[in-house]
């Protein structure tokens, strides 16, 4: 019977992904403080900006891996700040689309600069090809 070699924590891919994600999340949340955003609200704003006609709440929840009920508060907060607006979905009147306002697009641009700066602290020492490969690998895991 083959003996199983114990794995070092530093070799455990789940631990490494979790730890790296937590580190980057913390840095991004800190970077977004001046704009009154956190990663989750920033992500909703980015998704609203990606879809000119708006994006429905279910799509936002599915993309972010959250329950739709968790998205409501984020959208409410962004709407109260005038960064997104809820509009009727022409394809299904029971649904509302979340669309970025002009102010929301401006805040997203400012936030993106802050996020890029936070990311650079972790990725600037890596070759661009490695960062691109990491992004593609993670994209394949998150969006199979």
């Amino acid at each position: 019977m083959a003996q199983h070699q114990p794995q070092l924590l530093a070799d455990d891919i789940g631990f490494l992904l979790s730890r790296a994600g937590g580190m980057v999340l913390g840095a991004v949340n800190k970077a977004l403080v001046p704009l009154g955003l956190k990663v989750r609200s920033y992500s909703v704003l980015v998704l609203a900006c990606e879809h000119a006609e708006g994006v429905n709440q279910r799509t936002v929840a599915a993309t972010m891996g959250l329950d739709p009920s968790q998205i409501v508060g984020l959208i409410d907060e962004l709407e109260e700040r005038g960064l997104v607006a809820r509009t009727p979905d022409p394809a299904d009147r029971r649904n509302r689309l979340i669309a970025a306002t002009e102010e929301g697009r401006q805040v997203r641009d400012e936030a993106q600069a802050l996020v890029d700066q936070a990311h650079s602290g972790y990725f600037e020492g890596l070759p661009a090809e490695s960062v691109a490969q990491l992004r593609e690998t993670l994209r394949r895991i998150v969006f199979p």
Side-chain angles (χ1 to χ4, degrees):
M1 181 190 241
Q3 186 133 21
H4 185 264
Q5 281 291 80
Q7 185 177 28
L8 299 174
L9 185 60
D11 292 332
D12 185 289
I13 196 162
F15 168 78
L16 293 171
L17 281 168
S18 176
R19 183 74 175 107
M23 292 167 65
V24 173
L25 177 76
V28 170
N29 275 335
K30 185 176 179 182
L32 291 172
V33 165
L35 297 177
L37 296 171
K38 290 191 173 191
V39 168
R40 283 185 175 182
S41 54
Y42 165 73
S43 298
V44 172
L45 182 58
V46 169
L47 281 170
C49 289
E50 286 178 2
H51 302 279
E53 71 286 349
V55 60
N56 72 45
Q57 188 173 307
R58 280 198 174 97
T59 299
V60 172
T63 301
M64 293 178 61
L66 298 172
D67 187 85
S69 65
Q70 294 176 287
I71 300 300
V72 174
L74 296 170
I75 296 168
D76 287 347
E77 176 190 323
L78 293 170
E79 188 174 39
E80 286 170 15
R81 292 183 56 191
L83 304 179
V84 300
R86 287 179 169 104
T87 60
D89 183 347
D92 184 349
R93 291 285 180 194
R94 296 170 295 176
N95 289 326
R96 310 285 269 158
L97 296 178
I98 312 310
T101 62
E102 188 55 43
E103 183 180 354
R105 292 180 187 288
Q106 291 171 1
V107 169
R108 184 270 325 260
D109 291 345
E110 292 174 46
Q112 183 66 64
L114 295 173
V115 168
D116 290 344
Q117 188 176 357
H119 286 171
S120 73
Y122 294 98
F123 302 115
E124 70 184 350
L126 298 173
E129 309 82 49
S130 295
V131 175
Q133 185 176 17
L134 176 61
R135 181 179 291 113
E136 181 55 31
T137 300
L138 293 172
R139 191 179 290 131
R140 291 172 109 184
I141 292 170
V142 173
F143 304 111

